[in-house]
Amino acid sequence: MVIIMTGCSTEEMSEEYKIYNNYINELKENNEASEINNYLVNIELEKITDEETMYVLTLDNAQVDMYDIEVIVIHNQETDDIFPTSGIFEEKIDLTKENEEIKGIQLIGFIDNEIKDIGFKAMIKYIDEEGNEKKDYYIKQF
């Protein structure tokens, strides 16, 4: 089973919104991807209509236990939409070898089909099996 998360907005989440904005700024400034060995992460595009394409970030196949996961994905195009997140506005998810129900996380967003040369950046933040905080950056260009 894969949990699908999409961004949401509400006016009662000011602290979460600050974290969200800090992560966006951090991703915009970062241009270096991490070497990711403990799990798989990928972004795929799927044309939905003549006007809209869906992008899907998938994080799965964790090789180590990952706790309190936070994920955000942004792109380099102008948008009025909130960027998809997991664990910022929503409850944090754990991916562990023993958990048979949750196998991964998917973040879904939408872009206009007219967009060319779109670049995505994602940040994956979690606590590993030894209690160490880890932060990885993923970059993909289309």
Side-chain angles (χ1 to χ4, degrees):
M1 171 185 230
V2 173
I3 293 185
I4 298 174
M5 307 295 291
T6 59
C8 61
S9 63
T10 177
E11 296 182 24
E12 298 176 9
M13 298 186 186
S14 62
E15 187 60 34
E16 289 88 351
Y17 192 69
K18 289 178 190 175
I19 292 168
Y20 169 83
N21 280 327
N22 287 339
Y23 287 167
I24 289 172
N25 292 333
E26 184 177 334
L27 280 169
K28 285 180 178 178
E29 292 176 11
N30 181 45
N31 292 314
E32 200 169 312
S34 303
E35 184 175 328
I36 299 173
N37 299 316
N38 295 329
Y39 54 89
L40 297 177
V41 62
N42 190 35
I43 296 175
E44 296 178 350
L45 300 177
E46 181 180 333
K47 186 176 179 181
I48 301 299
T49 67
D50 288 340
E51 293 83 31
E52 193 170 50
T53 294
M54 177 174 68
Y55 60 92
V56 180
L57 178 139
T58 303
L59 185 156
D60 62 6
N61 199 28
Q63 302 300 305
V64 298
D65 291 343
M66 300 170 66
Y67 302 98
D68 294 338
I69 300 170
E70 294 178 346
V71 185
I72 183 170
V73 59
I74 68 169
H75 53 73
N76 60 351
Q77 304 299 315
E78 278 296 316
T79 183
D80 291 329
D81 295 335
I82 189 167
F83 291 113
T85 66
S86 176
I88 299 170
F89 297 105
E90 313 78 14
E91 185 176 330
K92 291 177 176 44
I93 295 172
D94 299 335
L95 295 179
T96 62
K97 294 172 243 165
E98 292 82 29
N99 190 338
E100 295 295 321
E101 293 181 22
I102 301 176
K103 298 292 185 187
I105 299 170
Q106 285 192 320
L107 304 183
I108 298 173
F110 298 90
I111 53 173
D112 294 333
N113 281 343
E114 297 174 11
I115 295 174
K116 304 290 184 222
D117 299 321
I118 187 161
F120 291 93
K121 293 181 180 182
M123 184 198 70
I124 300 96
K125 183 177 169 185
Y126 64 98
I127 297 173
D128 70 8
E129 298 168 320
E130 287 83 39
N132 300 312
E133 185 176 285
K134 302 287 186 176
K135 191 183 289 187
D136 294 326
Y137 300 97
Y138 176 78
I139 299 173
K140 187 163 184 177
Q141 188 75 32
F142 288 92

